[in-house]
Amino acid sequence: MIYEGDPWLEPWKNIIDGRHRNITFRLNSLADASGHLSGRMNNHLHYGLHHTGNGWVFREYAPNASKIYLLGDFNNWKRNPSWELHACGGGDWEIKVPEAFLRHGQLYKLFIEWPGGGGERIPSYATRCVQDAQTKLFSAQVWNPAEPYVWKNGKVGPRRTPLVYECHIGMSSEQEKVATFDEFRENVLPRVKSLGYDTLQIMALQEHPYYGSFGYQVSNFFALSSRFGTPDEFKRLVDEAHGMGIAVVMDIVHSHSVDNELEGLGMFDGREDLYFHYGPAGRHPAWGSRCFDYGKNETCCFLLSNLKFWMEEYHLDGFRFDGVTSMIYWDHGLGTDFGNYELYFNSNVDESALSYLALANVLVHELNPDAITIAEDVSGLAGLAAPFEAGGIGFDFRMSMGVADHWIKWIKERDDWDWNMGEIWWELTRKRSDEKTISYAECHDQAMVGDKTIIFRLLDALMYDGMSRSSQNILIDRGIALHKMIRLLTLVTAGDGYLNFMGNEFGHPEWIDFPREGNGWSFKYARRQWQLVDNPDLRYAGLNAWDAAMIRFARRTGLLETPPVELYRNDGDKVLVICRKDCIFAFNFNPVRSFTDYGFEAPSGKYTSVLDSDEAEFGGFSRVDDKVEHLVVDGRLKLYLPSRCVVVLKKIGK
């Protein structure tokens, strides 16, 4: 169990054991006769609209309803008795429709009546929703193409040390618009492949009424966002990614639901607590959304079936679970500094939410043992990314969210003269030994309006007129050098995986600001300016080349398969040397001093330079002779270390 290797957990042994027993009990209560969740989590196959071969059947779960009608352009949106669902008991409703009455592409909704009221609703298991261009209202859509998509490529296999490219389909275009699955597949996917990333993490796939929510205010959990294209177009994107050896992970939102009633699950059958908590517990104080009651089997089965649907329908390779901190604490972790283990084991923990997350991990790995699950959690809950069998919750990875926070803090609050190598090493490698983590210098959070990316913090307004290769500016040189070093140091110290957000690899300027009333509904900042990196006269190309070089190097060497070891540190010189996978990474963060014959203890052997951030192709000054071989003599290695540079050596002999 997780407390056996961590004496700090010993005081909480009984709670950890009790938590594990409770999860196991719930697992057994929901599993099939063989003990598997995957055989039972099939709500999506029962509810919703299904073509039966000789007709249609539609089912809905609405226990508080007194009447339900199926409305659509097939019956002029009228509540017609012939389109009334009949109650089947247990809160289930059903209607069977002859083949000729429904066609692919038609629109439909429900009208649900309940004691004291009624209203139009989109079916909770709708798999396709579209928005009317004039009214801006959403409807469900019959989706039954004559020729279903035929998959060409199989699964890509496990990702034990994933190199993740986080992306958003809609803002992936150069043009000021909402980009499509096809455009991403044709224009961006080849870039991901060329850079060397092996995992694509896609945001905002579930349908959401407000584009500016970045996809985090979900209304229709089983529906692929129609803004970006059709289900078949997304399947082709996933299929081609698999053909390139790239796994596809979905950023899934099970932490809350949009409050909307016309589009979402709010007051679906006249009750506020159909899937959510009743009263204040059912409202998120910061997000203005609805909070799921994970203790209800209806909620648990709805969400677990949702996971199975996305994996089976779209051949996804796993999930990044958003907002895990908000899920597992009754106060949603707002304003809490998680510096005490007691905070993981007190009455503020929603044990039902932890149970759900554990069951979700069990289900995902039953469906595909090679699938990966990633928890977005800032609290560092002990056991979150530990195996379920050892008393953990079972996530494969936890996002190391503190790494990005510290980089922003160091850049924002201190001149790099004052950076402390010991503090940097400690904060970048600090994690529990029983969990796997994914590190990143910045993700989409740091790129949002109101914040700044690393390159923007380093260069600020100079980015607008100082990025020409023909211009000379020491502040630009500083920013570019630090940008490269920060990213490689984050990768080298990463626990088990690394992540980058789309465009940050080449230092995308400015921020992300989705169309909203406050900016005149502009798309100017909700896009990616690929022409900057494609222009050989600008210095963005060097940053892009550096990112590709370090990612390919990590893949080629299996860098993250072994842990990093600190070989040498000198805070006065601003030098940090790390050993990992028969490679030595010598970082010189000194702003002005270059060191000749800089010596430190190193593993015996002969080494050659394989990567150097000062190379001209990476926007550097080529101060290092990369052809020189280096031999460890009397246990010491001596190197030339230019200022603001990292040199990478690989062992080539004894």
Side-chain angles (χ1 to χ4, degrees):
M1 300 297 281
I2 58 175
Y3 47 73
E4 293 173 353
D6 185 351
W8 291 97
L9 287 177
E10 187 65 29
W12 319 108
K13 175 180 178 180
N14 291 338
I15 294 179
I16 293 170
D17 287 340
R19 181 176 287 170
H20 185 71
R21 286 193 299 269
N22 291 338
I23 296 172
T24 302
F25 177 81
R26 195 165 192 201
L27 170 62
N28 293 334
S29 69
L30 293 175
D32 60 20
S34 64
H36 294 98
L37 280 175
S38 54
R40 288 279 302 276
M41 295 302 115
N42 295 310
N43 284 23
H44 57 293
L45 301 179
H46 178 76
Y47 297 110
L49 181 65
H50 299 280
H51 190 251
T52 62
N54 58 356
W56 303 83
V57 61
F58 176 85
R59 302 184 187 95
E60 186 58 83
Y61 178 71
N64 194 49
S66 52
K67 284 187 177 182
I68 302 181
Y69 296 91
L70 189 63
L71 316 177
D73 47 17
F74 43 80
N75 63 6
N76 295 317
W77 302 93
K78 302 295 184 183
R79 278 179 273 170
N80 191 312
S82 61
W83 291 89
E84 182 179 345
L85 281 67
H86 69 271
C88 304
D92 284 359
W93 297 78
E94 180 182 277
I95 184 173
K96 293 181 179 178
V97 181
E99 176 81 22
F101 282 76
L102 291 179
R103 298 188 309 277
H104 173 69
Q106 288 183 312
L107 305 180
Y108 68 99
K109 292 183 181 180
L110 300 176
F111 192 96
I112 301 180
E113 296 181 4
W114 55 80
E120 289 187 355
R121 297 289 186 267
I122 292 180
S124 58
Y125 288 83
T127 57
R128 172 75 172 170
C129 297
V130 294
Q131 187 177 27
D132 184 271
Q134 280 71 45
T135 67
K136 305 301 181 183
L137 296 177
F138 281 83
S139 299
Q141 186 177 43
V142 178
W143 196 257
N144 187 42
E147 298 182 5
Y149 184 82
V150 178
W151 294 88
K152 301 175 181 62
N153 298 296
K155 298 176 181 177
V156 295
R159 289 291 182 272
R160 295 184 177 88
T161 55
L163 300 166
V164 184
Y165 194 87
E166 182 187 36
C167 63
H168 183 284
I169 300 296
M171 58 168 287
S172 65
S173 171
E174 181 88 38
Q175 298 174 309
E176 296 182 24
K177 65 173 189 176
V178 178
T180 67
F181 293 125
D182 280 347
E183 289 170 328
F184 184 94
R185 175 179 52 80
E186 294 168 1
N187 302 324
V188 183
L189 191 59
R191 295 179 184 270
V192 181
K193 172 67 174 176
S194 177
L195 288 166
Y197 290 90
D198 62 15
T199 303
L200 193 66
Q201 181 178 298
I202 309 181
M203 307 172 63
L205 289 175
Q206 295 166 291
E207 191 60 86
H208 47 289
Y210 179 43
Y211 185 52
S213 74
F214 226 144
Y216 290 124
Q217 293 272 348
V218 173
S219 52
N220 312 106
F221 286 79
F222 290 82
L224 181 73
S225 180
S226 59
R227 287 183 180 87
F228 313 133
T230 69
D232 283 2
E233 289 165 350
F234 179 57
K235 289 176 182 178
R236 187 177 178 189
L237 190 165
V238 174
D239 205 5
E240 290 199 11
H242 286 169
M244 296 177 177
I246 299 173
V248 181
V249 171
M250 174 183 179
D251 194 347
I252 199 159
V253 181
H254 282 181
S255 49
H256 62 136
S257 172
V258 71
D259 193 35
N260 301 31
E261 297 175 11
L262 291 179
E263 297 94 353
L265 297 174
M267 300 295 290
F268 184 76
D269 63 352
R271 291 171 49 194
E272 66 171 288
D273 60 341
L274 177 60
Y275 295 107
F276 311 113
H277 287 289
Y278 181 81
R283 306 273 176 179
H284 198 292
W287 298 342
S289 52
R290 300 304 311 268
C291 299
F292 286 110
D293 182 350
Y294 304 101
K296 289 185 173 183
N297 282 347
E298 301 96 311
T299 303
C300 202
C301 293
F302 176 85
L303 295 174
L304 289 173
S305 297
N306 189 235
L307 296 173
K308 184 175 181 179
F309 166 79
W310 285 102
M311 291 185 72
E312 293 190 337
E313 183 68 18
Y314 294 109
H315 291 201
L316 297 178
D317 302 290
F319 301 96
R320 179 257 200 193
F321 284 74
D322 177 69
V324 168
T325 307
S326 177
M327 296 173 70
I328 58 183
Y329 301 101
W330 289 109
D331 65 0
H332 307 293
L334 298 174
T336 303
D337 181 12
F338 292 93
N340 189 322
Y341 269 34
E342 182 182 2
L343 297 174
Y344 304 146
F345 304 106
N346 60 23
S347 59
N348 187 41
V349 176
D350 183 352
E351 297 292 342
S352 295
L354 278 182
S355 294
Y356 165 69
L357 290 170
L359 298 185
N361 278 283
V362 170
L363 174 66
V364 168
H365 293 111
E366 279 184 10
L367 293 169
N368 180 5
D370 290 336
I372 62 174
T373 57
I374 306 168
E376 190 230 12
D377 169 52
V378 72
S379 77
L381 178 91
L384 188 67
F388 173 65
E389 296 76 13
I393 304 303
F395 279 99
D396 294 305
F397 303 94
R398 178 179 65 80
M399 302 297 294
S400 287
M401 301 178 71
V403 169
D405 291 341
H406 278 94
W407 278 125
I408 295 300
K409 177 182 177 181
W410 293 324
I411 296 170
K412 182 179 179 180
E413 299 179 1
R414 306 178 195 172
D415 188 277
D416 45 310
W417 268 110
D418 300 320
W419 289 5
N420 182 283
M421 298 298 102
E423 179 188 11
I424 289 175
W425 167 259
W426 167 253
E427 295 296 352
L428 266 56
T429 58
R430 185 161 60 101
K431 74 181 190 74
R432 291 178 51 79
S433 61
D434 61 7
E435 68 177 2
K436 294 183 178 181
T437 57
I438 294 176
S439 293
Y440 55 95
E442 53 188 346
C443 68
H444 71 272
D445 287 328
Q446 288 73 38
M448 293 294 289
V449 67
D451 205 338
K452 288 185 178 181
T453 61
I454 286 177
I455 197 70
F456 213 179
R457 288 189 182 278
L458 291 170
L459 302 182
D460 216 307
L462 289 172
M463 294 198 73
Y464 295 109
D465 55 16
M467 291 296 283
S468 170
R469 293 183 64 183
S470 62
S471 65
Q472 297 294 322
N473 188 306
I474 59 173
L475 295 179
I476 291 287
D477 293 339
R478 168 189 181 268
I480 287 178
L482 289 177
H483 192 267
K484 291 181 288 186
M485 296 179 73
I486 286 168
R487 301 181 89 74
L488 183 60
L489 183 52
T490 303
L491 172 61
V492 171
T493 55
D496 307 273
Y498 175 80
L499 177 141
N500 164 66
F501 177 68
M502 176 178 66
N504 286 357
E505 68 274 7
F506 66 84
H508 195 284
E510 300 173 327
W511 49 77
I512 302 166
D513 190 12
F514 281 91
R516 55 186 173 86
E517 187 175 5
N519 64 16
W521 303 103
S522 171
F523 284 87
K524 182 178 180 180
Y525 299 110
R527 61 191 179 108
R528 297 283 88 175
Q529 300 182 59
W530 302 109
Q531 91 278 359
L532 296 176
V533 68
D534 293 338
N535 187 339
D537 296 328
L538 299 179
R539 301 183 72 171
Y540 298 101
L543 294 177
N544 191 77
W546 171 254
D547 198 83
M550 72 178 201
I551 294 298
R552 291 174 187 165
F553 172 78
R555 286 189 67 178
R556 184 173 66 251
T557 60
L559 180 68
L560 301 184
E561 294 172 0
T562 60
V565 176
E566 183 188 56
L567 285 185
Y568 176 83
R569 175 175 85 235
N570 189 309
D571 289 323
D573 292 342
K574 305 300 177 193
V575 171
L576 177 63
V577 183
I578 299 166
C579 180
R580 191 165 192 174
K581 196 74 173 182
D582 285 336
C583 297
I584 292 175
F585 302 81
F587 292 85
N588 179 12
F589 278 96
N590 199 297
V592 295
R593 291 188 62 192
S594 297
F595 300 102
T596 302
D597 290 335
Y598 198 88
F600 50 86
E601 292 185 359
S604 62
K606 182 189 292 185
Y607 293 84
T608 186
S609 176
V610 290
L611 203 56
D612 165 18
S613 67
D614 196 49
E615 290 183 31
E617 67 171 303
F618 306 137
F621 301 97
S622 297
R623 290 171 289 177
V624 178
D625 184 353
D626 295 328
K627 296 183 176 61
V628 174
E629 292 184 349
H630 305 272
L631 184 66
V632 175
V633 179
D634 296 330
R636 292 179 64 80
L637 184 64
K638 292 185 177 181
L639 298 177
Y640 170 52
L641 296 180
S643 61
R644 289 196 180 119
C645 174
V646 52
V647 175
V648 183
L649 306 177
K650 185 170 182 8
K651 189 173 183 178
I652 58 173
K654 296 182 179 180

